[in-house]
């Protein structure tokens, strides 16, 4: 995950920049045989080709999210202009307008407009003049004589090297890299790059000029290689070397910051362009945590949440890095790093304050592991927050991947862990083209390899799910149904079972061929479609009739659907026989169905 890259300084050498990256982004160690990587802080822009916006930039111009009901936003757009602002971008489908204004009273004036639900500034600094006539990123010359492919520890740790022989991924699966951009001409990325669905979303609206998607640093190119570097005998191989990569650059040049309007644009682009998965190795600047009791930050939360939900409704699963501050995200107390586009201040925070997009509902939150079953020293953690873990590197054992200009190098960070999981998700989508984001999210948890807490009091939870590793370490071989199945086997039913009002229904799975008893950490993956899950009580019934409660949802929980993985100590039960998922509806009006469920022994 990228952290306040504004600390980069253009005059620093690569050596100095690497020292900064060790705390703010990742440690970059370019492959010696290929020379030094380009200085990420000093991209050389190509001549601008896009026409300037009709609005003229002036000092003091700030960006705001103006939030209204989804649909026709024309009346609110007119109010933006009437109150001293200009509409930079509008996303009618989610009711979000990106407005610019140099007026100090713009936000308060707009909050009084009929139909406006929230208004919030997205920055504590001015919008750069570049927003109105953006320069194209550099198109670096490519290094010759790349090294031969090497077998890397991170890929063997998640069994990606074994997965490639089963299913390397489908070219019909598109993965969006929302990041600093991607060097599409890199010899390991070019074979899988999808230019038609790539763009820049810097400043909050799509720039589709050729090359606008290119890297303004090194980070996005490194992430892209981990996901889908081609298996071509050169350099490295990605987790899913058969899928397609699309670059959506959401970082702004110079600062390399990712503001809310950029993230919103990226998610909307992902939904509209058929991305099955997106990788998000950043937090939404300038606030490391956005707090709902602050009007500006509340609008940021709402705007990005709506965009993420839009993307998911259209078939896109978001995977995101947990962060590199070694913080317990389940017990937040203070933020000392925000705002990172001006002067950070120390402020008390609570768990209501969210690191976005990683803490938004539906987003898969990824923690980092070092080499072996260990938490990376820098990785954020949190019981109930972290969903899954993957190699992110630590110290000398970095993640080796692609860098702009045909180069390669090591980086450490949850930024490096997240693309491993995005690659595994892409393999799942390749193996099952009908899988929904909810399906993939559930399967990621079910198929992860359990990693127990170390002797560290900060790690709370169980072996099956804990604050350091979530559901465990991701596994690429399991994702493609490889020849090394979970211990004892995996059983699933996709037969729909209707859940009527005030009724109890069972969905059976017959287990056979498993020796002895069920495990102490039997995993139960549940996918229930229901319009009000507060009505539901969910249980697992063993073959001998023993009932194991999974969850009794609070009566006031109005959330739709149940898509979760549970862990049950079923070690007293014989494994073979008919197991049942029992769902009891205890109220009227809302109904649904058991879509699918599974058992992993």
């Amino acid at each position: 995950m990228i952290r306040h890259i504004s600390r980069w300084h253009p005059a620093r050498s690569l050596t100095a920049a690497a020292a900064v990256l060790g705390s703010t982004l990742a440690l970059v160690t370019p492959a010696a045989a290929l020379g030094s990587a380009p200085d990420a802080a000093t991209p050389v822009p190509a001549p601008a080709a896009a026409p300037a916006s009709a609005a003229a930039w002036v000092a003091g111009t700030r960006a705001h999210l103006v939030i209204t009901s989804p649909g026709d936003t024309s009346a609110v757009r007119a109010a933006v202009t009437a109150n001293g602002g200009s509409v930079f971008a509008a996303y009618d489908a989610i009711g979000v307008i990106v407005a610019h204004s140099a007026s100090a009273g713009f936000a308060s004036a707009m909050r009084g407009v009929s139909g406006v639900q929230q208004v919030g500034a997205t920055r504590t600094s001015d919008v750069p003049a570049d927003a109105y006539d953006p320069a194209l990123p550099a198109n670096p010359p490519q290094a010759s004589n790349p090294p031969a492919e090497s077998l890397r520890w991170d890929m063997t740790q998640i069994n990606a090297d074994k997965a490639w022989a089963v299913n390397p991924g489908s070219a019909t699966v598109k993965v969006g890299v929302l990041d600093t951009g991607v060097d599409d001409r890199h010899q390991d990325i070019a074979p899988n790059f999808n230019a038609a669905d790539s763009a820049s979303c810097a400043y909050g609206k799509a720039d589709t000029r050729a090359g606008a998607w290119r890297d303004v640093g090194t980070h996005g190119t490194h992430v892209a290689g981990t996901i889908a570097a081609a298996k071509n005998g050169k350099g490295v191989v990605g987790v899913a070397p058969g899928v397609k990569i699309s670059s959506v650059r959401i970082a702004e040049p110079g600062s390399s910051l990712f503001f809310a309007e950029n993230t919103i644009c990226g998610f909307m682009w992902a939904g509209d362009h058929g991305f099955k998965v997106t990788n998000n190795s950043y937090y939404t600047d300038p606030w490391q945590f956005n707090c709902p009791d602050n009007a500006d930050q509340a609008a940021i939360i709402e705007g990005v949440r709506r965009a993420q939900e839009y993307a998911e409704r259209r078939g896109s699963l978001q995977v995101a890095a947990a962060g590199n501050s070694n913080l317990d995200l389940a017990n937040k107390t203070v933020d000392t790093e925000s705002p990172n586009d001006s002067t950070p201040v120390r402020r008390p925070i609570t768990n209501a304050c969210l690191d976005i997009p990683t803490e938004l509902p539906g987003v898969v939150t990824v923690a980092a592991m070092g080499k072996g079953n260990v938490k990376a020293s820098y990785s954020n953690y949190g019981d109930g927050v972290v969903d899954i873990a993957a190699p992110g590197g630590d110290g000398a054992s970095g993640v080796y991947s692609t860098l702009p200009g045909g180069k390669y190098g090591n980086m450490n960070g949850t930024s490096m862990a997240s693309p491993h999981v995005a690659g595994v998700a892409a393999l799942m989508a390749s193996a099952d083209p009908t899988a929904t984001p909810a399906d993939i999210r559930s399967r990621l948890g079910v198929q992860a390899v359990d990693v127990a807490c170390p002797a560290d009091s900060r790690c709370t939870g169980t072996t099956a799910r804990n604050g350091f590793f979530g559901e465990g370490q991701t596994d690429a071989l399991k994702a493609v149904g490889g020849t090394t199945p979970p211990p004892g086997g995996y059983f699933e039913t996709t037969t729909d079972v209707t859940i009527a009002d005030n009724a109890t229904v069972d969905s059976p799975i017959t287990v056979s061929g498993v020796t002895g008893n069920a495990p102490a950490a039997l995993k139960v993956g549940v996918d229930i479609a229901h319009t009000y899950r507060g009505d539901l009580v969910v249980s697992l019934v063993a073959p001998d009739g023993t009932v194991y409660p999974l969850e009794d949802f609070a009566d006031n929980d109005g959330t739709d659907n149940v898509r979760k993985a549970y862990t049950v100590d079923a070690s007293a039960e014989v494994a073979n026989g008919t197991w049942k998922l029992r769902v009891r509806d205890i109220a009227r009006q809302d109904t649904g169905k058991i879509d699918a469920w599974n058992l992993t022994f």
Side-chain angles (χ1 to χ4, degrees):
M1 171 179 281
I2 292 179
R3 295 172 52 210
H4 44 79
I5 300 178
S6 57
R7 290 186 181 179
W8 288 0
H9 192 282
R12 288 178 179 160
S13 66
L14 179 65
T15 302
V20 175
L21 289 170
S23 63
T24 62
L25 167 60
L27 178 62
V28 184
T29 309
L34 296 176
S36 298
D39 186 347
T42 55
V44 180
S53 169
W57 180 87
V58 296
T61 297
R62 296 292 173 90
H64 299 78
L65 298 182
V66 180
I67 297 177
T68 184
S69 297
D72 183 4
T73 66
S74 56
V76 175
R77 280 184 270 137
V80 167
T81 304
N83 282 280
S86 60
V87 175
F88 188 76
Y91 299 99
D92 285 13
I94 60 171
V96 174
I97 298 165
V98 180
H100 288 180
S101 179
S103 169
F106 175 76
S108 59
M110 286 302 301
R111 287 175 186 135
V113 171
S114 176
V116 171
Q117 297 171 357
Q118 295 185 62
V119 179
T122 64
R123 309 164 184 247
T124 63
S125 59
D126 290 359
V127 175
D130 184 66
Y132 293 98
D133 191 11
L136 288 172
N139 185 6
Q142 300 296 307
S144 58
N145 301 318
E149 284 175 357
S150 59
L151 190 59
R152 291 133 52 214
W153 70 268
D154 57 310
M155 293 297 164
T156 60
Q157 189 161 307
I158 65 167
N159 290 318
D161 56 324
K162 298 181 179 69
W164 300 327
V166 178
N167 185 342
S170 169
T172 63
V173 172
K174 292 186 282 191
V175 180
V177 178
L178 278 58
D179 213 293
T180 62
V182 174
D183 180 3
D184 55 298
R185 296 176 62 239
H186 193 292
Q187 66 270 353
D188 245 338
I189 292 175
N192 291 334
F193 192 77
N194 173 23
D197 293 303
S198 294
S200 168
C201 271
Y203 310 115
K205 67 179 175 182
D207 179 352
T208 59
R209 292 175 296 159
W213 57 73
R214 291 197 176 114
D215 212 330
V216 295
T218 59
H219 191 267
T221 300
H222 194 278
V223 164
T226 297
I227 297 170
K231 199 173 190 305
N232 57 4
K234 303 172 184 177
V236 297
V237 185
V239 175
V243 305
K244 292 297 183 183
I245 284 290
S246 300
S247 172
V248 184
R249 177 169 65 86
I250 60 173
E252 297 182 4
S255 70
S256 286
L257 294 182
F258 300 72
F259 293 100
E261 60 268 34
N262 309 4
T263 303
I264 289 167
C265 172
F267 286 158
M268 298 299 289
W269 183 272
D272 288 339
H273 289 262
F275 294 177
K276 198 69 175 178
V277 182
T278 71
N279 186 79
N280 303 269
S281 290
Y282 60 92
Y283 69 71
T284 301
D285 299 297
W287 305 100
Q288 184 179 22
F289 299 101
N290 286 272
C291 299
D293 59 355
N294 176 285
D296 293 330
Q297 294 163 43
I300 290 172
I301 294 170
E302 180 65 11
V304 177
R305 182 192 66 78
R306 289 189 186 188
Q308 192 287 128
E309 288 183 349
Y310 176 86
E312 181 164 341
R313 286 197 304 271
R314 296 177 71 87
S316 179
L317 175 69
Q318 278 55 254
V319 178
N324 299 340
S325 299
N326 196 23
L327 294 175
D328 184 353
L329 297 177
N331 293 285
K332 304 185 185 89
T333 58
V334 65
D335 175 15
T336 62
E337 301 184 5
S338 307
N340 63 8
D341 66 336
S342 54
T343 303
V345 297
R346 182 182 180 88
R347 59 177 182 145
I349 60 172
T350 69
N351 285 350
C353 302
L354 302 180
D355 180 341
I356 59 175
T358 198
E359 288 193 272
L360 289 177
V363 176
V364 177
T365 303
V366 184
M369 302 175 72
K371 191 173 184 179
N373 288 343
V374 295
K375 171 189 175 296
S377 59
Y378 52 80
S379 180
N380 287 353
Y381 57 97
D383 196 6
V385 179
V386 169
D387 293 311
I388 196 166
D394 205 0
S397 297
V399 173
Y400 186 71
S401 188
T402 48
L403 295 173
K407 299 180 175 67
Y408 300 85
N410 290 301
M411 290 188 182
N412 297 330
T414 55
S415 283
M416 286 60 256
S418 183
H420 285 87
V421 175
V424 170
L427 290 178
M428 289 179 171
S430 300
D432 181 4
T434 65
T436 66
D439 294 333
I440 297 172
R441 186 166 52 240
S442 175
R443 292 171 193 175
L444 283 169
V446 170
Q447 296 181 0
V449 177
D450 291 343
V451 182
C453 280
D456 187 327
S457 62
R458 299 174 302 164
C459 186
T460 59
T462 65
T463 297
R465 177 157 191 143
N466 57 63
F468 275 13
F469 309 110
E471 296 278 356
Q473 181 172 250
T474 196
D475 191 292
L477 184 59
K478 288 182 182 179
V480 293
T483 56
T484 305
Y490 175 82
F491 301 85
E492 181 179 41
T493 179
T494 58
T495 301
D496 289 349
V497 176
T498 299
I499 306 168
D501 278 329
N502 287 306
T504 299
V505 298
D506 289 344
S507 173
I509 286 179
T510 299
V511 174
S512 61
V514 180
T515 302
N517 284 8
L522 176 66
K523 288 195 173 182
V524 185
V526 175
D527 187 350
I528 298 171
H530 197 278
T531 50
Y532 193 95
R533 71 183 188 186
D535 293 353
L536 302 182
V537 179
V538 184
S539 305
L540 176 69
V541 182
D544 68 357
T546 302
V547 177
Y548 292 84
L550 299 180
E551 191 158 6
D552 183 356
F553 289 94
D555 292 347
N556 63 352
D557 186 347
T559 308
D560 291 347
N561 308 325
V562 182
R563 287 163 181 148
K564 300 180 67 173
Y566 300 91
T567 301
V568 174
D569 183 355
S571 56
E573 304 292 337
V574 174
N576 291 333
T578 300
W579 296 75
K580 300 174 183 177
L581 183 71
R582 178 165 293 168
V583 180
R584 183 160 61 98
D585 186 309
I586 61 172
R588 297 187 180 278
Q589 296 184 349
D590 293 88
T591 59
K593 63 180 179 178
I594 301 173
D595 248 343
W597 72 283
N598 55 65
L599 292 168
T600 304
F601 286 82

